[in-house]
Amino acid sequence: MMEIAVAAVGGTERTGQSQMAEAVEHSIRSGEHLAVQAGTGTGKSLAYLVPAIRHAVAEETTVIVSTATIALQRQLVDRDLPRLATALTDALGRAPKFAILKGRRNYLCLNRVDGGAPEEPDEGALFDPFAASALERQVKRLREWSSETETGDRDELVPGVTDQAWRQVSVTAKECLGAHRCPVGTDCFAERARAEAGRADVVVTNHALLAIDALDDRPILPEHDVVMVDEAHDLVDRVTSAATGELTAGSVKLAARRCGRAIDQEIADRLDEAGEGLDAVLQDAQPRRLEELPRDLGGALAATRDAAAACVTALGPERKEDVEGSTARKLALALTEDVHDTAVRVLEAFDEEDDRRRDVVWVAADPNRPPTVRVAPLGVGGLLRERLFGQRTTVLTSATLALGGSFDTLARQWGLPPEQRARKAEGAATDKEVPSDDGGPKWTGLDVGSPFEHQRSGILYIARHLPQPGRDGLPPQYLDELTELVRAAGGRTLGLFSSMRAARQASEELRQRLDTPVLCQGEDSTALLVTKFADDPRTSLFGTLSLWQGVDVPGQSLQLVVMDRIPFPRPDDPLASARQKAVSEHGGNGFLTIAGTHAALLLAQGAGRLLRSIDDRGVIAVLDPRLATARYGGFLRASLPPFWTTHDPEVVRGALRRLDAAAS
């Protein structure tokens, strides 16, 4: 069946793809979880989709495919699955069905569009006529779009709108009236998407919804027995984000405003006053991880908790109200319960002794956002082990899973034991092993390699002669080295920096030194910048995190990838520092386990930007000498593809000049 599938997409069979497909098939049959590292160009999506479709059709069940990015979702739904559905129809006896499913907030709510709830401008828009006018124009456009769209899916709206505008016409699952009570429930986009997913053999979703489905006792996804997790290197971060709660004074006061439309104003005013108190405390609070709960913050949170509880009680059980009243009550209840539960969670986080805490709490002050209290799980391995691996056969795949040459690094974060192969029980009627309490979930790791000959196609250059990176921007030697590399390459450079400050510094400096264009992330939409970069081989593009993982530019426009430093998390990153401390307190190497894993993943992802097609050639240049000199350097280098390695700047510049001449 793989032969039919490969022919349908105009490809050629590859050894790694066939090995992966066989392993996925065995995993589905045996119930043994599987982690597969498959390099760019392997064709891994077909390798898991074909066995998944065959299983779903044969067993009349549903298989879930979860991704981290919208781009991969679109590739699967718009390209891969339609072609496979057509190609495999004869072999399967019927056309397989597929669907995409997202969280309810991603779909337009027709009840809100029809005026089923009052609009809620943010506090800035209340006092800024320009902001209010812009919001009004966007909401008007959304109302017009609601009569044209077939899906109501936000991602299909181009150009998009702000989050604030989208919130006026959408609801969360908790805010939804329910199809049976909603006056436009029969036309609901979200319900229609869920119904379509319920009839599908393969449902494509995202890691966040997969996590919410695992966290919530009310299932969101259709009943399923197999999950394919693509872009699995991002699973822990996405699940952590889904399990993170946050509280701002603005959210408390918005809850109070919503309650004021549905309950006695005096009770709602108590919540508003609690929001004012929280605001006063947070304005004076320093952004940091909280080892202990400050008395003033604890008091503000307790007042918020109690006032929110009083509002929830006053809102009472569901009543037979008019639609507008019922919608207003539901919107108030959902947000107020969230405020209450988050305040409780933060307060309870400090009830345990320091070494037994399961949640991390910190005060954040992000640019252009109000001060925020955040609470996140110290780890998500237990959740994944119990709610994902403990209930469904799971295949995890990515181009970067074997960090330091082993799957165990990520397996620990997923809640899996050290790698082990499952043995078939004697006399078992199927390939599934007899259940056992011994050793945790059974899983196997498989690296099917890459069709690219890394040692012949790429060079890893580590600038061992440079000083260690400092904290005060890029040292002059780094800018000199970067200039010479980009000049030798004739442009064609993707610069991946550890901070926007460094990316801007490098952009400004090199624009003065070079006669080739340099684009910097933030100067336009990232998608438009990437398009400009791809269209002009002489152009360079500098940026930060999203470029490390999100750029796919095959060909001669990208022949040099430069990384300014090893991308360790910031020392003051609250979650990473707490996790590092917890590992160290239990006798492990906290730095390597947490910071090292984070850096290895990003380095591997960044290096993966270079070779995107079989004919690509180029250089990965790391300016940070610690990759060659530090004790942990071996672990990090083992996480990268096996490029030919050099520390000689003349050798690498010569190679870049030859590539430039050949391309020109």
Side-chain angles (χ1 to χ4, degrees):
M1 200 171 283
M2 274 301 298
E3 298 90 344
I4 301 170
V6 171
V9 298
T12 55
E13 269 202 89
R14 302 175 182 120
T15 303
Q17 187 182 55
S18 300
Q19 290 174 336
M20 178 174 172
E22 289 171 10
V24 172
E25 187 128 12
H26 175 265
S27 175
I28 293 172
R29 206 169 52 241
S30 67
E32 176 184 325
H33 306 301
L34 175 67
V36 187
Q37 177 164 285
T40 304
T42 305
K44 67 177 180 296
S45 58
L46 289 195
Y48 64 72
L49 284 175
V50 171
I53 291 169
R54 180 158 43 192
H55 169 72
V57 172
E59 300 298 324
E60 296 186 350
T61 186
T62 298
V63 172
I64 301 296
V65 177
S66 180
T67 78
T69 63
I70 293 171
L72 181 55
Q73 283 181 32
R74 293 260 60 98
Q75 177 195 313
L76 294 172
V77 173
D78 295 341
R79 192 182 75 184
D80 295 346
L81 283 166
R83 291 179 180 179
L84 287 178
T86 302
L88 300 179
T89 295
D90 289 343
L92 294 171
R94 69 168 174 84
K97 299 185 289 290
F98 59 91
I100 186 167
L101 187 61
K102 304 175 183 179
R104 191 172 290 268
R105 180 60 102 182
N106 292 278
Y107 299 97
L108 205 66
C109 171
L110 291 171
N111 181 40
R112 295 208 71 180
V113 168
D114 291 343
E119 291 184 5
E120 295 165 340
D122 63 12
E123 291 177 56
L126 287 171
F127 302 104
D128 183 347
F130 294 105
S133 177
L135 181 63
E136 190 177 311
R137 285 196 302 274
Q138 291 188 67
V139 172
K140 182 174 183 285
R141 180 171 158 239
L142 286 167
R143 294 188 194 283
E144 292 168 353
W145 180 67
S146 70
S147 60
E148 303 165 4
T149 177
E150 293 288 324
T151 64
D153 184 340
R154 181 181 182 178
D155 292 328
E156 295 182 8
L157 179 67
V158 179
V161 296
T162 63
D163 289 344
Q164 179 63 26
W166 186 256
R167 280 197 294 270
Q168 311 298 316
V169 294
S170 64
V171 292
T172 64
K174 288 182 179 179
E175 293 169 341
C176 177
L177 281 177
H180 64 291
R181 296 201 64 201
C182 181
V184 284
T186 53
D187 299 318
C188 175
F189 292 120
E191 290 296 327
R192 201 183 298 170
R194 286 192 70 178
E196 191 176 341
R199 296 188 293 269
D201 300 299
V202 175
V203 173
V204 178
T205 189
N206 53 58
H207 295 349
L209 195 63
L210 183 71
I212 293 166
D213 186 69
L215 285 162
D216 204 322
D217 292 328
R218 297 164 295 183
I220 301 167
L221 299 170
E223 186 64 35
H224 57 283
D225 61 351
V226 173
V227 178
M228 303 286 164
V229 180
D230 204 339
E231 301 178 310
H233 60 273
D234 252 351
L235 181 63
V236 167
D237 283 349
R238 301 299 173 116
V239 173
T240 300
S241 293
T244 297
E246 64 173 46
L247 199 59
T248 65
S251 63
V252 177
K253 289 153 86 171
L254 176 57
R257 286 205 301 275
R258 287 185 179 182
C259 288
R261 301 184 186 113
I263 64 173
D264 185 80
Q265 188 63 48
E266 190 176 332
I267 301 174
D269 285 345
R270 278 183 55 201
L271 185 56
D272 188 66
E273 289 165 9
E276 294 284 359
L278 182 62
D279 189 30
V281 171
L282 289 179
Q283 291 297 339
D284 293 334
Q286 290 296 314
R288 62 189 175 94
R289 176 163 59 90
L290 301 179
E291 302 272 9
E292 302 295 335
L293 185 61
R295 181 175 296 179
D296 57 350
L297 180 57
L301 288 168
T304 300
R305 173 198 62 196
D306 296 343
C311 287
V312 170
T313 301
L315 286 164
E318 199 168 294
R319 300 182 292 273
K320 288 187 177 179
E321 302 152 303
D322 61 283
V323 172
E324 187 171 338
S326 187
T327 302
R329 178 190 169 278
K330 196 78 170 172
L331 288 169
L333 185 63
L335 182 54
T336 308
E337 284 183 333
D338 187 54
V339 164
H340 172 269
D341 294 349
T342 305
V344 168
R345 184 177 168 192
V346 172
L347 290 165
E348 289 183 347
F350 296 95
D351 287 348
E352 294 284 353
E353 292 296 322
D354 189 40
D355 61 347
R356 298 184 63 186
R357 288 178 188 163
R358 302 176 66 178
D359 273 334
V360 182
V361 178
W362 71 97
V363 176
D366 302 327
N368 304 316
R369 289 204 61 193
T372 305
V373 180
R374 292 206 177 103
V375 53
L378 186 60
V380 295
L383 165 70
L384 290 171
R385 184 171 58 248
E386 179 186 347
R387 306 301 291 267
L388 182 61
F389 302 115
Q391 298 185 20
R392 288 158 186 105
T393 303
T394 305
V395 174
L396 306 111
T397 186
S398 168
T400 49
L401 291 183
L403 303 181
S406 169
F407 288 93
D408 287 347
T409 304
L410 282 179
R412 278 193 295 269
Q413 296 188 5
W414 295 332
L416 293 174
E419 186 178 356
Q420 52 189 291
R421 290 188 175 274
R423 294 188 303 276
K424 183 178 173 183
E426 292 290 331
T430 72
D431 283 348
K432 289 191 186 289
E433 187 173 315
V434 175
S436 165
D437 292 332
D438 183 37
K442 299 291 193 290
W443 68 283
T444 300
L446 174 68
D447 183 353
V448 299
S450 165
F452 302 150
E453 294 185 58
H454 289 91
Q455 289 196 322
R456 295 170 62 90
S457 302
I459 297 172
L460 171 63
Y461 166 56
I462 306 171
R464 186 170 183 159
H465 61 284
L466 291 180
Q468 288 196 17
R471 294 187 177 182
D472 300 321
L474 295 170
Q477 300 97 317
Y478 279 47
L479 292 167
D480 294 341
E481 185 80 26
L482 182 58
T483 302
E484 292 304 315
L485 287 168
V486 177
R487 185 175 285 140
R492 315 178 191 279
T493 301
L494 178 66
L496 302 176
F497 294 85
S498 53
S499 70
M500 275 310 302
R501 178 187 173 193
R504 290 191 192 102
Q505 181 189 0
S507 301
E508 291 166 7
E509 186 71 30
L510 265 68
R511 281 170 182 158
Q512 298 175 31
R513 301 185 184 194
L514 300 173
D515 56 6
T516 53
V518 177
L519 305 174
C520 187
Q521 190 176 10
E523 294 171 344
D524 208 328
S525 75
T526 300
L528 192 59
L529 290 172
V530 171
T531 300
K532 286 182 180 178
F533 171 58
D535 288 346
D536 180 10
R538 291 292 174 198
T539 296
S540 299
L541 174 60
F542 294 173
T544 184
L545 190 59
S546 60
L547 297 187
W548 286 72
Q549 300 179 284
V551 175
D552 185 4
V553 178
Q556 296 172 346
S557 289
L558 175 48
Q559 294 187 331
L560 171 61
V561 176
V562 180
M563 307 182 210
D564 69 325
R565 64 191 297 159
I566 297 170
F568 292 121
R570 288 168 52 103
D572 59 355
D573 180 284
L575 200 48
S577 62
R579 288 173 169 173
Q580 196 167 311
K581 179 184 174 188
V583 171
S584 298
E585 286 176 346
H586 286 85
N589 185 330
F591 174 75
L592 198 59
T593 301
I594 304 301
T597 298
H598 179 276
L601 266 178
L602 276 179
L603 280 172
Q605 286 287 306
R609 301 310 98 206
L610 182 66
L611 305 182
R612 307 304 294 178
S613 72
I614 205 75
D615 298 320
D616 285 354
R617 301 287 183 272
V619 170
I620 301 291
V622 181
L623 306 184
D624 188 338
R626 293 175 297 176
L627 188 61
T629 59
R631 282 186 301 172
Y632 50 75
F635 170 78
L636 298 177
R637 293 194 302 275
S639 306
L640 295 172
F643 295 111
W644 184 79
T645 303
T646 183
H647 303 137
D648 189 333
E650 285 303 322
V651 168
V652 80
R653 287 175 206 154
L656 287 169
R657 290 188 195 103
R658 288 190 293 275
L659 284 172
D660 179 39
S664 302

